[in-house]
Amino acid sequence: MTYLKKYGLRILYTFLTIIILLTITTGLYYFNLINNNTYKILKIVIVIISILINSFILGKNTINKGYLEGIKFGLMIITIFFILTLVTSNSLKVSILLYYLILLITAIFGSMFGISKKKEN
């Protein structure tokens, strides 16, 4: 149960952070306070930073093998994104798969960095 609770809370926090920050960014874009290129970049950066921070916290709360925790967390996030992509757009492109690979690598590095910071303290 703690396994499900640990990952479930991190995934919930990740998606809540993404939804809140993307809503703010979309509002700024709607009122023409940021331009289209900035909006596209912010959409990607917000997701990557959210996954990085939450995988860092996940790695900090684990005992060892941060890369495995990052792989598990990244695959869970990618699975959810993959299902949402199939439901909404019905097409897979190479750029989307590359984006998922970047998210997985981000989760792995975040978790590895978190576990290394835990050992320093």
Side-chain angles (χ1 to χ4, degrees):
M1 189 64 175
T2 60
Y3 181 79
L4 182 62
K5 183 179 177 183
K6 179 172 67 169
Y7 285 103
L9 283 176
R10 284 294 116 209
I11 290 173
L12 179 68
Y13 293 152
T14 301
F15 280 107
L16 284 176
T17 306
I18 290 170
I19 289 170
I20 291 169
L21 291 177
L22 286 180
T23 302
I24 292 169
T25 306
T26 303
L28 293 174
Y29 177 68
Y30 179 76
F31 292 113
N32 293 328
L33 298 173
I34 57 175
N35 62 8
N36 191 24
N37 292 333
T38 307
Y39 177 66
K40 287 179 182 180
I41 292 171
L42 280 177
K43 284 193 315 184
I44 295 170
V45 169
I46 286 172
V47 174
I48 289 174
I49 289 177
S50 176
I51 290 175
L52 183 70
I53 290 171
N54 283 294
S55 64
F56 175 81
I57 295 169
L58 183 70
K60 202 166 185 175
N61 293 332
T62 59
I63 298 170
N64 57 5
K65 296 184 182 176
Y67 65 94
L68 285 177
E69 298 296 323
I71 290 172
K72 290 181 214 174
F73 182 69
L75 288 176
M76 288 178 196
I77 295 287
I78 289 172
T79 303
I80 294 170
F81 280 163
F82 183 74
I83 291 170
L84 290 173
T85 301
L86 287 179
V87 167
T88 57
S89 69
N90 234 1
S91 66
L92 279 177
K93 298 177 184 173
V94 176
S95 61
I96 293 173
L97 296 176
L98 181 64
Y99 178 64
Y100 291 158
L101 180 65
I102 291 170
L103 294 182
L104 180 64
I105 292 170
T106 301
I108 293 169
F109 281 136
S111 186
M112 287 170 52
F113 189 63
I115 205 160
S116 70
K117 286 296 179 183
K118 177 183 177 181
K119 291 183 179 180
E120 286 180 3
N121 293 333

